[in-house]
Amino acid sequence: MENNLIQLSQQDQVLVLRINRVDKKNALTAAMYEALTAALDQAIEDADVRAVVITGDERCFTAGNDIVDFMANPLVDTNSPVMRFLRALSTFPKPLVAAVNGVAVGIGTTLLLHCDLVYAGEGTRFSLPFVDLGLVAEGASSLLLPRLVGQRKAAELLLLAEPFDAATAAQMGLVNRVLPPAEVEPFALAQAQKLAAKAPSALQLTKALMQRPLEDAIADAIAVEAYHFAAQLRSPEAQEALQAFIEKRKPRFS
Ligand code: COA
């Protein structure tokens, strides 16, 4: 069952969402986005869930969207699994904590912009290789990254697509704290449990107040980015870049 690739477990009042496809570096398929979205939707309804942790394992968080899946099921409309996941994530009303190790590529980095607290292991590599794949920024990263790190730094990350390490991510404010890899998940869980023990209405209202100023802008950015992303995905340059990844060679852009 593909949905075993997203494992759900509950620790007290914290729901843990684990991406579990390590042989493919936790690359996310349409079915995995669907499972994540369903889990987030259910977590909203479940009063026993007061906080959510999203994680992978000690070797990888996620290598981003599955490239084979990208080619087979190009994102075409606003109702596609990745779009529904991005909307669910960006509007999620309960505290969301990420525990990140290994690689965090593409959506593996952009989804962190929607988490409340992010903890990363020493040695984690982050990257936003959209342009190198003939694609564009997604997940409202074209809006949120320049706000977080400034226009100049965002250009290095989104245009030059330069990978960066955990220390840089912490310095930029993308990550709260860098820890030894084995300590990341226990620490993230402990932080989530602290949140889960707090007054739930006050906590959720405070999160909602923090989300409110950018609510419309984020929804708009996700939609506009997706429009261009879908068009680029069908372009010869993206098809060449994705095919090159599958064939384990460098792309040739003419
Ligand atoms: N989609 C599909 N398969 C992926 C994948 C992805 N995004 N990322 C990794 N894999 C697969 C590899 O094809 C390989 O499969 P194989 O064993 O059947 O050949 C396996 O996962 C292991 O990956 P590998 O590249 O050998 O690991 P690595 O440690 O050398 O490199 C990465 C790790 C993440 C740097 C590298 O896999 C990579 O660049 N992946 C693509 C990331 C990407 O561009 N994502 C899309 C962002 S929009």
Side-chain angles (χ1 to χ4, degrees):
M1 270 288 285
E2 182 135 36
N3 280 358
N4 288 340
L5 302 177
I6 302 296
Q7 294 179 338
L8 273 56
S9 59
Q10 177 113 8
Q11 307 224 6
D12 303 319
Q13 290 181 306
V14 176
L15 174 69
V16 178
L17 304 183
R18 184 181 308 284
I19 309 168
N20 179 43
R21 193 187 176 211
V22 177
D23 60 324
K24 295 289 180 190
K25 300 280 169 188
N26 283 346
L28 294 162
T29 62
M32 291 163 76
Y33 289 122
E34 276 169 5
L36 286 168
T37 305
L40 289 175
D41 287 348
Q42 205 185 327
I44 295 176
E45 303 304 323
D46 188 346
D48 210 33
V49 174
R50 299 255 186 109
V52 172
V53 170
I54 182 161
T55 192
D57 91 340
E58 232 177 276
R59 288 157 292 176
C60 58
F61 182 56
T62 167
N65 203 105
D66 185 285
I67 288 182
V68 179
D69 213 44
F70 248 162
M71 295 189 82
N73 308 304
L75 163 134
V76 278
D77 61 42
T78 56
N79 216 22
S80 63
V82 64
M83 289 298 292
R84 280 190 275 117
F85 169 65
L86 286 172
R87 281 197 300 272
L89 185 79
S90 61
T91 58
F92 190 65
K94 297 183 181 181
L96 199 47
V97 180
V100 184
N101 264 313
V103 287
V105 186
I107 198 166
T109 291
T110 62
L111 76 78
L112 303 177
L113 295 163
H114 302 282
C115 294
D116 300 297
L117 297 170
V118 180
Y119 300 102
E122 292 154 354
T124 306
R125 298 289 288 169
F126 300 82
S127 67
L128 298 158
F130 303 113
V131 168
D132 289 347
L133 291 170
L135 300 170
V136 301
E138 44 77 316
S141 57
S142 63
L143 169 74
L144 297 175
L145 210 56
R147 279 181 63 94
L148 183 69
V149 304
Q151 200 74 18
R152 295 284 84 75
K153 190 73 195 165
E156 285 179 358
L157 306 183
L158 285 171
L159 302 183
L160 279 175
E162 287 180 348
F164 52 102
D165 61 16
T168 308
Q171 201 183 7
M172 292 187 317
L174 180 67
V175 159
N176 289 83
R177 188 155 160 179
V178 180
L179 297 142
E183 291 175 26
V184 175
E185 196 179 316
F187 189 80
L189 192 59
Q191 296 295 85
Q193 273 162 345
K194 276 190 209 164
L195 291 167
K198 293 187 186 289
S201 295
L203 191 67
Q204 283 190 46
L205 275 169
T206 302
K207 174 164 176 168
L209 289 166
M210 288 167 72
Q211 285 172 317
R212 200 178 77 94
L214 286 183
E215 211 167 65
D216 293 343
I218 288 174
D220 180 65
I222 288 175
V224 175
E225 289 167 348
Y227 171 82
H228 293 291
F229 198 106
Q232 277 300 117
L233 201 47
R234 294 188 292 271
S235 71
E237 58 189 38
Q239 291 296 311
E240 163 59 13
L242 299 174
Q243 194 59 40
F245 174 79
I246 289 169
E247 292 171 9
K248 299 186 190 294
R249 61 169 173 82
K250 285 198 182 311
R252 293 180 290 265
F253 299 116
S254 53

